[in-house]
Amino acid sequence: MDSAFQVKGFSMTSCRLFVRTTILNDNKQPLIYYCSAWFISPQHVATAGHCIAEGPEYIVDRQQPGFVCCRFAANGNCLPRYRYRLQSWVTTQGFLAKLPSRSNDGAVLKIVPQSPKDFVPPIPQTAFGAFTGSSPPEKAIYMDGYPMQTLEDGCGEVDELRRYQTMASRPAQPIDSRTQNATAVQYQMSGCAGMSGGRVLSRGPTGRAFGLQTFGYEWCQGPEGKGRGVTGVTFVSDFAEDKCGVCLKCLMEATP
């Protein structure tokens, strides 16, 4: 139930996010973050907070911030009709303050079509904060998103331009003793689907989104020593005053 599988088609809801940062790599070139993002309105996408900020600072290159792509050509280039430019972005005060960052690790980005006269309209995902103040869902958890450039959890070769999906019914576990209801949790699921910013749905792929994937790491089990990892999730919240969780509609309203 928790093995990742590759999506052969494409989605106009869940897309690949490329963020050009102000951080330089070993070759003194701007580092590009590879994340996932999903539409919450025709002009906004949700992703993980650490894709655009570290500590109290945003790391996005304001001159060339990056783009969202929902479909790629065979040669790996983004098809213009499915490409959206990053225009502005905002994350939570809790994430910027690191209090507690894992529970507030979310962001909303405003985007515009690369080709305003010729683009494919996105399909927003319905998101809700029904689990704020209650226990995290324990069954029928479904995740999707684009993988990192490299994976270390025994998943083998992956195509970083294709979405991967996982469905499992494994119970959620708090990340540490401080996390209570409506905060970050972790699921024992295939790490192939643990992509920063990916959506987390209840009751299968047609369900509503209740969380964001925020991190993943290796946790191999079984005699083969591969095939399963841990994916962290921070919940969607409906209220700005919640200290834990990510209020997507609040961030969307705050995005300049």
Side-chain angles (χ1 to χ4, degrees), residues 30-156:
L31 184 65
I32 296 178
Y33 276 15
Y34 287 60
C35 291
S36 297
W38 38 283
F39 281 92
I40 55 176
S41 87
Q43 295 84 34
H44 299 85
V45 294
T47 190
H50 66 261
C51 294
I52 64 168
E54 289 187 0
E57 303 292 337
Y58 288 101
I59 56 175
V60 184
D61 184 338
R62 295 185 180 275
Q63 301 301 318
Q64 301 182 63
F67 62 95
V68 170
C69 183
C70 301
R71 190 173 185 181
F72 297 88
N75 60 5
N77 292 331
C78 181
L79 297 173
R81 297 185 65 200
Y82 301 87
R83 178 168 171 151
Y84 296 79
R85 293 186 292 105
L86 272 59
Q87 190 174 54
S88 57
W89 47 87
V90 65
T91 185
T92 66
Q93 292 180 342
F95 177 73
L96 291 177
K98 298 294 184 181
L99 298 172
S101 62
R102 283 184 171 176
S103 296
N104 306 122
D105 190 357
V108 167
L109 295 75
K110 188 174 183 179
I111 48 87
V112 293
Q114 184 74 36
S115 303
K117 296 183 179 180
D118 180 30
F119 71 97
V120 178
I123 303 174
Q125 167 68 52
T126 301
F128 71 118
F131 298 106
T132 300
S134 61
S135 300
E138 296 184 352
K139 296 182 178 180
I141 301 304
Y142 176 93
M143 301 183 185
D144 74 352
Y146 286 78
M148 297 176 61
Q149 292 172 280
T150 59
L151 293 174
E152 299 177 353
D153 57 6
C155 296

